[in-house]
Amino acid sequence: GLPEALCTVTAVRSLVAWQPDDLAARRQQAEVMSDLAVRAGSRHFMLESRRLRVAAMLDAGDLAALDAALADHAALADEGFGVHRWRAAMWRTMRCLRDGQYTDAERAIAAAQELARTVGHPDTFFWFAAQQLQLRWDQDRLDELEGSVGSLVESSPAMPLWRCVLAALCADLGRIDDARQHVERVVADLAGVDADGANPFAALLPCAEGLASTILLADAVVAAADRARAEQLHHVLAPYAGHGVMAGPAVVFLGCVD
């Protein structure tokens, strides 16, 4: 029917037209989809609307509203719908990581991975890797990560997030020259993108991982004491002060831009 068709359009629009500065529009899309899903009697689209709401609340840095949205989604997801149960488990991991509850995070990651095997969603591996990466990073087990991150860089060359992660990882390991090289490789890869000619990092923002990638690069250039690149990144990030920074569909929360 018409309500379901409109839900589909809203869901597609939320993915295709994503921009880091359209937070108000994305919050509105979540509420519109929720109303349409109720009219259509579609539990699937009710859950999709909660997915949009979770991402918007995390992006806004509104942690109280985020927890309410997570609880609402989990209550619906527990009634079935494999992919949504996987998302609920993945978001439980994100919350544990955010709160520094690493033993609980280990268990939540294992539970999410088990559910991922039954879902068959193409992105489950990448987001499992992202959460495992954050866990080991927070545990200061950086030496375990470089090989895995390097493999993700090689297997996903069109996804700049992973090279940005590698740049920040090298910086944290004290390998400043390697960090610089990865930053400059990101700049070179952006050269073919329609970006601000004076500031190549502006080209990172239109993708869904834009803020996360930019924040990770900022960590690397600060460690490298690269003033010119730091100023370029600051110019890109300044309009988003206070925004939450996430990777993927609210899989990893990196804090807020400040």
Side-chain angles (χ1 to χ4, degrees), residues 72-229:
D72 191 17
H73 176 274
L76 282 170
D78 282 346
E79 298 177 19
F81 298 93
V83 69
H84 291 288
R85 292 180 64 209
W86 163 66
R87 283 179 179 149
M90 188 176 59
W91 288 336
R92 280 193 289 273
T93 303
M94 179 269 293
R95 282 286 283 102
C96 291
L97 289 170
R98 192 197 80 191
D99 293 341
Q101 298 171 350
Y102 300 129
T103 300
D104 290 342
E106 293 266 16
R107 288 195 290 264
I109 286 174
Q113 188 178 24
E114 186 62 30
L115 282 168
R117 293 191 181 99
T118 68
V119 168
H121 194 284
D123 293 337
T124 55
F125 169 75
F126 289 109
W127 303 131
F128 163 76
Q131 291 189 323
Q132 190 75 22
L133 172 66
Q134 186 182 16
L135 175 62
R136 298 295 176 240
W137 203 313
D138 289 350
Q139 292 172 323
D140 200 25
R141 294 164 62 177
L142 304 183
D143 56 322
E144 301 177 25
L145 301 176
E146 188 173 3
S148 299
V149 177
S151 296
L152 288 166
V153 170
E154 295 302 318
S155 64
S156 306
M159 195 172 186
L161 173 68
W162 299 120
R163 190 172 293 279
C164 297
V165 170
L166 192 53
L169 177 60
C170 288
D172 272 14
L173 287 168
R175 300 204 336 250
I176 302 304
D177 287 343
D178 289 343
R180 284 196 187 98
Q181 289 177 10
H182 287 302
V183 171
E184 294 308 313
R185 175 61 185 273
V186 172
V187 171
D189 289 345
L190 293 172
V193 180
D194 183 19
D196 179 350
N199 192 343
F201 300 117
L204 280 174
L205 288 178
C207 73
E209 319 309 330
L211 280 178
S213 297
T214 310
I215 285 288
L216 289 162
L217 287 181
D219 287 345
V221 302
V222 168
D226 188 335
R227 184 180 181 85
R229 293 300 190 202

Side-chain angles (χ1 to χ4, degrees), residues 7-23:
C7 282
T8 301
V9 170
T10 303
V12 171
R13 182 182 297 155
S14 73
L15 294 173
V16 173
W18 191 97
Q19 293 291 332
D21 55 356
D22 67 354
L23 179 56

